[in-house]
Amino acid sequence: MTSVSPDLDRKFRDTAAREHLLDVAYDLVDSPLGALLVAVTERGVARISYDADPEGELERLARAYGMRVLRSPAPIDAARRELDEYFEGKRREFDLPLDLVQLADFNRRVLRELARVPYGEVVTYGELAARAARPRAARAVGTVMNRNPLPIVLPCHRVIGANGKLVGYAGGLARKETLLRHEGALLEKASGRSR
């Protein structure tokens, strides 16, 4: 077996991305919540995963976007920078292009409304359903939140139960609480609204 130098390996990965030879580029991004697997396509950020099993995640990415999936840090730089700024308290909104073409229309509509929930505020699943023009679809909104491909950037941690309690989060309730505390969204028991 021939060994490739780290420098040559990096150049190969950077060239593959620069020459548009990848369907998906991904890398691991350190965060206060643990390592995040961040994946991008030519259209934008397509996936952010907590506790990602890289092999399983890469299979899912290949099925969804194409077989040319490669770990390449350069295409992830903008997402890494904005996530770092968010966790440092320097960013309240993300300006990243997003790739949501794989999602159904309802899911995209709900996620667009979710993106409008301001930093440091919360909404209930029912309120988000109403904003997405489906006022009786709170459970369906919950399913969309659970399958959100871009947690943090599309802030599903800002969605709470009708009783004001933290319920359901694919990354775990401890992460949800950490994100809400980071944003200063102190929950009031009665209304479920931020202060």
Side-chain angles (χ1 to χ4, degrees):
M1 182 191 304
T2 304
S3 177
V4 175
S5 73
D7 187 52
L8 182 59
D9 182 67
R10 183 186 48 76
K11 286 179 182 177
F12 167 77
R13 293 169 189 277
D14 289 349
T15 300
R18 187 175 51 254
E19 297 295 324
H20 308 285
L21 300 175
L22 303 179
D23 295 316
V24 180
Y26 76 94
D27 200 11
L28 297 178
V29 173
D30 290 328
S31 84
L33 303 173
L36 304 171
L37 186 141
V38 178
V40 300
T41 68
E42 291 285 325
R43 290 178 292 279
V45 182
R47 187 83 39 97
I48 296 175
S49 300
Y50 293 113
D51 302 323
D53 161 33
E55 286 185 32
E57 194 62 43
L58 299 182
E59 284 182 35
R60 284 186 286 279
L61 289 167
R63 277 195 309 270
Y65 297 99
M67 297 300 295
R68 300 178 304 169
V69 178
L70 184 67
R71 186 170 186 174
S72 182
I76 310 302
D77 284 345
R80 183 187 327 271
R81 184 184 71 256
E82 290 199 19
L83 285 164
D84 286 347
E85 291 168 355
Y86 169 81
F87 286 115
E88 292 166 0
K90 298 176 182 173
R91 175 174 291 280
R92 292 177 169 239
E93 294 179 12
F94 290 91
D95 298 318
L96 299 165
L98 307 179
D99 183 349
L100 300 175
V101 298
Q102 298 291 324
L103 301 179
D105 288 340
F106 174 73
N107 297 36
R108 282 196 305 272
R109 185 172 356 131
V110 168
L111 292 173
R112 273 194 304 272
E113 291 304 322
L114 174 65
R116 293 182 176 123
V117 177
Y119 180 98
E121 293 186 21
V122 295
V123 297
T124 66
Y125 293 94
E127 290 169 330
L128 192 55
R131 291 179 185 188
R134 297 277 304 272
R136 295 186 203 194
R139 285 183 189 255
V141 166
T143 299
V144 174
M145 296 301 98
N146 185 265
R147 296 181 183 157
N148 177 4
L150 298 169
I152 305 168
V153 171
L154 292 175
C156 51
H157 59 275
R158 296 178 189 156
V159 185
I160 60 171
N163 61 1
K165 296 195 182 216
L166 300 185
V167 293
Y169 188 65
L173 289 179
R175 284 187 176 121
K176 184 173 191 166
E177 183 176 352
T178 298
L179 289 166
L180 289 172
R181 287 189 188 283
H182 170 71
E183 295 184 5
L186 302 175
L187 307 179
E188 297 174 11
K189 290 183 181 181
S191 70
R193 296 259 184 221
S194 64
R195 54 175 186 111

